[in-house]
Amino acid sequence: MLSFSSHGHHPRCSVSQATDTTPEKKGQLMRRNDIRNIAIVAHVDHGKTTLVDSMLKQAKVFRDNQFVQERIMDSNDLERERGITILSKNTSITYNDTKINIIDTPGHSDFGGEVERILNMVEGVLLVVDSVEGPMPQTRFVLKKALEFGHAVVVVVNKIDRSSARPEFVVNSTFELFIELNASDEQCDFQVIYASGIKGKAGLSPENLADDLGPLFESIIRCIPGPRIEKDGALQMLATNIEYDEHKGRIAIGRLHAGALRKGMDVKICTSEDECRFARVSELFVYEKFFRVPAETVEAGDICAVCGIDDIQIGETIADKTSGKPLPSIKVEEPTVRMSFSINTSPFVGREGKYVTGRNLRDRLYRELERNLAMKVEDGETSDTFIVSGRGTLHITILIENMRREGYEFMVGPPKVINKKVGDKLLEPYEIATVEVPEEYMGPVVELLGRRRGQMFDMQGLGSEGTTLVKYKIPTRGLLGLRNSILTASRGTAVLNTIFDEYGPWAGDISTRDLGSLVAFEDGTTSSYALSSSQERGQLFIGPGVHVYKGQIVGIHQRPGDLSLNVCKKKAATNIRSNKDQTVVLDTPLDYSLDDCIEYIQEDELVEITPQSIRMSKNPKMAKKAR
């Protein structure tokens, strides 16, 4: 176990009454002191996952000879590649006889559905903030939710060993953020810990770090209260997350609110007071270190996983068989963006994918709903079209990326914003966009945001590097395709972060893309000869020797309106030797990622997605209408 030199003084923290175990009047609620449930919140890249790694290493989670993968918490490939956390994950460590359940939260507001559920399981939040950048927009979303739940917060100023660290500035701006988010006085009196996640050290002042993360563990136990439970009450547990296991089926994960749960017990599953059904718990697991460990009994306050209830949904309550009552179910914010998914209709269908039929697509999308609370799927106009709605483009593109890795082939249309009608007023979603941009590119970026109906409400200089931070309130419609234009306007130096704000009045028309597309004129294989004359018309997406089909988008036209090109023609072979066989110099084709393609396409265009390629094409159904 860890041991520390005591500094002789324990700073106070916002929740000083954490040790209170006297039963209270209302339903005999009491605190359980040998458990802490915490969620870790941080902006992308502020070192949250690395900090968790160090905490696990120090609490001796791994055997000394065990190979430890970096960033253990980011388990799926996509999370590692993009460096973001998408799914919430559970782990636990034991420190001085106290079990600390740690849940990693996604930082993106697009995964708000995940965030709300996690906050239901915990009593406190570890807010990790970079020692140079301070609190960022992504943190704001999760923090706002945590404060609404009334959770205690411990602020960790991470990467304190960076040469440009400015801890005072960071703590002050975090305090300002708390006030802005209407935190209570107790919440504003938060405990600050300074840490270097990568070195595994922490301390109560930036100059005085202990040799390990001891001060951090101490603060968690001191400042974050244990769970309040009804120890002898009737069993209640809210299913806040669902995992799927090939052998065990659906596994419900949640925190036990009251009573005790035993293996083999008969229980009642309730959605509301009137709707209940019976089930039996076949197996029980608790989280120890990184693994699910089988348990015979779980008592109130702990987080556990329950097997054997095949039809359980997120937000339902597992309750006592006789006197069970449902807990309030989870409400998730409405989706703001929708996209249509349909089967692949291009001439290249079935070359790479395993699952290509409408039925495969339908089953996969409806299966996603089981885990992905904030997503909605509806049947479209035809039998093989589906409308998928989510909390933002990223939310949906992550699903698309996962599906193509699983071997699906399909097409998606451009993202559309979901509007609301209130009375006779049309409302659309607005977001707060935060852009960090070097001063020399300020002009073009501001102009771009203005053209898309953005309204600036804050502007400040950042540090000494000549970077400016501007904040805009902008319709979600104006954000579609914005990232690409901003990167172009700032030569790749600007950083854009967005977060959903509210529904507001319709902002009027927004012009997004001025240029048309270059479209392939026939099926065939591209030749350098044809491409060398085509590249005078705009920027190409493809190089020579690529198979294309009629209607495929091969580049961006340099003018408005589309242009059909022959990119496959071969040089005519004559028997006259020409001395003009000069070598063709081709520009490097643009390399567009999935997100770029989805941002690029217009109303009458589609993105074709297969396990190995992403192509864009004109929508053949729309072309007929145009004539």
Side-chain angles (χ1 to χ4, degrees):
M1 290 293 19
L2 304 169
S3 59
F4 311 106
S5 53
S6 163
H7 293 293
H9 64 286
H10 283 301
R12 65 217 169 88
C13 48
S14 53
V15 188
S16 45
Q17 68 279 24
T19 46
D20 171 32
T21 48
T22 49
E24 296 168 31
K25 285 287 171 284
K26 63 171 201 232
Q28 297 294 306
L29 279 179
M30 54 181 278
R31 293 244 178 242
R32 179 170 172 185
N33 255 338
D34 57 343
I35 285 192
R36 296 289 183 275
N37 297 319
I38 59 169
I40 290 208
V41 176
H43 185 74
V44 184
D45 274 352
H46 279 198
K48 164 179 71 173
T49 312
T50 313
L51 183 70
V52 176
D53 283 1
S54 290
M55 289 169 75
L56 293 165
K57 284 192 185 108
Q58 291 191 18
K60 285 281 180 271
V61 168
F62 306 103
R63 298 189 305 276
D64 294 335
N65 60 357
Q66 194 171 345
F67 167 72
V68 181
Q69 193 181 10
E70 286 295 306
R71 308 210 318 260
I72 314 150
M73 291 296 257
D74 283 349
S75 54
N76 87 24
D77 300 339
L78 249 179
E79 297 184 303
R80 293 178 169 284
E81 281 165 35
R82 294 188 176 221
I84 59 177
T85 303
I86 300 166
L87 304 159
S88 50
K89 288 173 225 44
N90 302 30
T91 178
S92 83
I93 54 185
T94 305
Y95 171 78
N96 291 354
D97 308 329
T98 303
K99 176 176 176 183
I100 303 178
N101 283 315
I102 301 175
I103 307 178
D104 197 358
T105 64
H108 260 280
S109 61
D110 285 8
F111 306 106
E114 288 274 317
V115 171
E116 312 235 333
R117 309 205 299 261
I118 296 155
L119 292 174
N120 257 311
M121 291 200 274
V122 299
E123 281 76 38
V125 175
L126 216 54
L127 175 66
V128 181
V129 188
D130 184 294
S131 65
V132 180
E133 297 180 350
M136 296 291 280
Q138 242 78 7
T139 352
R140 182 193 173 102
F141 170 77
V142 190
L143 185 62
K144 176 170 172 230
K145 295 266 164 255
L147 294 171
E148 283 167 13
F149 273 87
H151 291 336
V153 182
V154 172
V155 176
V156 180
V157 179
N158 196 20
K159 304 191 184 180
I160 196 72
D161 47 348
R162 284 179 65 173
S163 54
S164 49
R166 36 181 196 169
E168 265 186 28
F169 164 81
V170 169
V171 173
N172 288 339
S173 49
T174 309
F175 183 70
E176 281 164 20
L177 179 64
F178 271 61
I179 292 193
E180 203 179 311
L181 297 177
N182 304 325
S184 66
D185 293 354
E186 287 87 47
Q187 284 171 326
C188 284
D189 189 14
F190 51 84
Q191 169 73 54
V192 181
I193 295 286
Y194 301 91
S196 158
I198 203 147
K199 291 185 180 162
K201 297 180 166 190
L204 295 167
S205 72
E207 299 79 38
N208 189 357
L209 297 190
D211 299 332
D212 52 26
L213 293 172
L216 173 60
F217 289 119
E218 295 282 333
S219 302
I220 290 174
I221 288 174
R222 200 178 63 248
C223 300
I224 291 176
R228 295 179 60 145
I229 54 168
E230 264 185 83
K231 195 168 178 192
D232 310 318
L235 165 71
Q236 275 182 319
M237 169 183 150
L238 189 67
T240 40
N241 216 342
I242 286 192
E243 281 182 12
Y244 191 80
D245 183 298
E246 286 162 19
H247 310 296
K248 299 188 172 68
R250 299 185 75 156
I251 303 175
I253 298 168
R255 190 189 68 190
L256 223 60
H257 184 75
L261 193 55
R262 285 183 305 284
K263 189 174 158 179
M265 187 170 178
D266 287 316
V267 292
K268 198 156 69 169
I269 311 296
C270 300
T271 23
S272 63
E273 286 281 343
D274 323 321
E275 294 177 54
C276 289
R277 54 189 191 281
F278 292 100
R280 169 170 282 183
V281 176
S282 63
E283 289 180 89
L284 262 184
F285 295 91
V286 289
Y287 288 89
E288 264 180 36
K289 321 276 169 58
F290 249 96
F291 310 100
R292 285 202 295 254
V293 185
E296 288 296 317
T297 322
V298 178
E299 295 196 346
D302 207 347
I303 290 177
C304 67
V306 182
C307 308
I309 308 167
D310 296 330
D311 55 353
I312 188 156
Q313 299 288 344
I314 290 174
E316 294 188 323
T317 305
I318 300 177
D320 185 73
K321 191 170 92 180
T322 47
S323 56
K325 286 202 168 48
L327 288 160
S329 103
I330 307 170
K331 287 188 183 60
V332 177
E333 293 182 3
E334 292 295 300
T336 54
V337 173
R338 63 169 194 263
M339 285 166 75
S340 67
F341 282 53
S342 58
I343 59 171
N344 190 353
T345 50
S346 87
F348 293 172
V349 62
R351 287 192 184 183
E352 298 167 4
K354 277 198 299 202
Y355 308 109
V356 293
T357 64
R359 187 148 158 221
N360 294 144
L361 186 61
R362 182 194 175 94
D363 292 349
R364 176 65 181 84
L365 290 174
Y366 280 97
R367 201 165 71 238
E368 183 67 23
L369 293 181
E370 298 184 350
R371 309 176 195 184
N372 212 326
L373 263 199
M375 204 167 260
K376 291 202 167 77
V377 177
E378 306 157 90
D379 292 350
E381 295 170 7
T382 58
S383 61
D384 41 27
T385 314
F386 305 94
I387 308 292
V388 177
S389 317
R391 285 294 303 272
T393 347
L394 183 72
H395 191 186
I396 305 179
T397 45
I398 295 285
L399 166 68
I400 295 175
E401 186 65 56
N402 277 327
M403 283 172 66
R404 74 182 271 236
R405 289 175 188 217
E406 292 162 20
Y408 285 84
E409 255 187 46
F410 52 100
M411 294 184 121
V412 298
K416 296 197 180 73
V417 164
I418 299 174
N419 298 321
K420 280 185 183 170
K421 273 217 111 126
V422 175
D424 51 357
K425 284 205 177 83
L426 184 62
L427 302 183
E428 64 173 328
Y430 278 77
E431 303 197 26
I432 301 285
T434 315
V435 190
E436 283 175 60
V437 56
E439 268 161 27
E440 68 225 67
Y441 301 118
M442 206 39 204
V445 168
V446 166
E447 185 190 344
L448 202 68
L449 284 153
R451 274 221 316 260
R452 290 162 171 264
R453 309 271 170 168
Q455 288 167 340
M456 189 194 296
F457 64 88
D458 186 18
M459 176 173 165
Q460 53 195 46
L462 270 189
S464 53
E465 302 95 43
T467 311
T468 313
L469 187 77
V470 282
K471 290 187 183 167
Y472 276 83
K473 183 168 176 175
I474 182 170
T476 305
R477 274 185 309 148
L479 287 170
L480 304 176
L482 180 65
R483 200 171 303 258
N484 271 335
S485 327
I486 278 198
L487 285 174
T488 313
S490 68
R491 304 271 169 93
T493 53
V495 182
L496 168 70
N497 280 299
T498 58
I499 185 142
F500 175 73
D501 185 41
E502 59 176 7
Y503 270 85
W506 177 259
D509 289 337
I510 295 178
S511 71
T512 45
R513 194 177 95 195
D514 308 329
L515 304 175
S517 298
L518 299 175
V519 183
F521 171 76
E522 59 182 356
D523 302 5
T525 308
T526 55
S527 66
S528 327
Y529 172 69
L531 292 178
S532 68
S533 58
S534 305
Q535 66 185 19
E536 294 161 14
R537 307 280 182 191
Q539 291 176 293
L540 295 175
F541 292 134
I542 49 171
V546 179
H547 294 292
V548 295
Y549 53 83
K550 181 178 179 182
Q552 183 178 334
I553 296 174
V554 291
I556 303 178
H557 191 194
Q558 60 200 13
R559 299 202 169 87
D562 295 338
L563 179 67
S564 288
L565 289 176
N566 186 343
V567 284
C568 304
K569 68 178 174 215
K570 302 277 184 288
K571 190 166 178 202
T574 62
N575 59 358
I576 301 167
R577 288 214 184 109
S578 150
N579 54 1
K580 292 208 187 73
D581 263 350
Q582 70 268 59
T583 47
V584 176
V585 181
L586 290 178
D587 301 341
T588 317
L590 293 173
D591 182 21
Y592 264 26
S593 70
L594 171 66
D595 300 85
D596 297 335
C597 291
I598 283 174
E599 288 198 340
Y600 173 80
I601 57 171
Q602 295 278 35
E603 198 63 28
D604 61 339
E605 297 169 345
L606 297 166
V607 180
E608 174 193 350
I609 289 152
T610 69
Q612 277 129 47
S613 23
I614 294 174
R615 305 184 188 90
M616 293 181 279
S617 65
K618 284 287 172 190
N619 187 342
K621 292 185 185 137
M622 299 257 186
K624 295 187 182 96
K625 289 180 194 164
R627 272 189 227 132

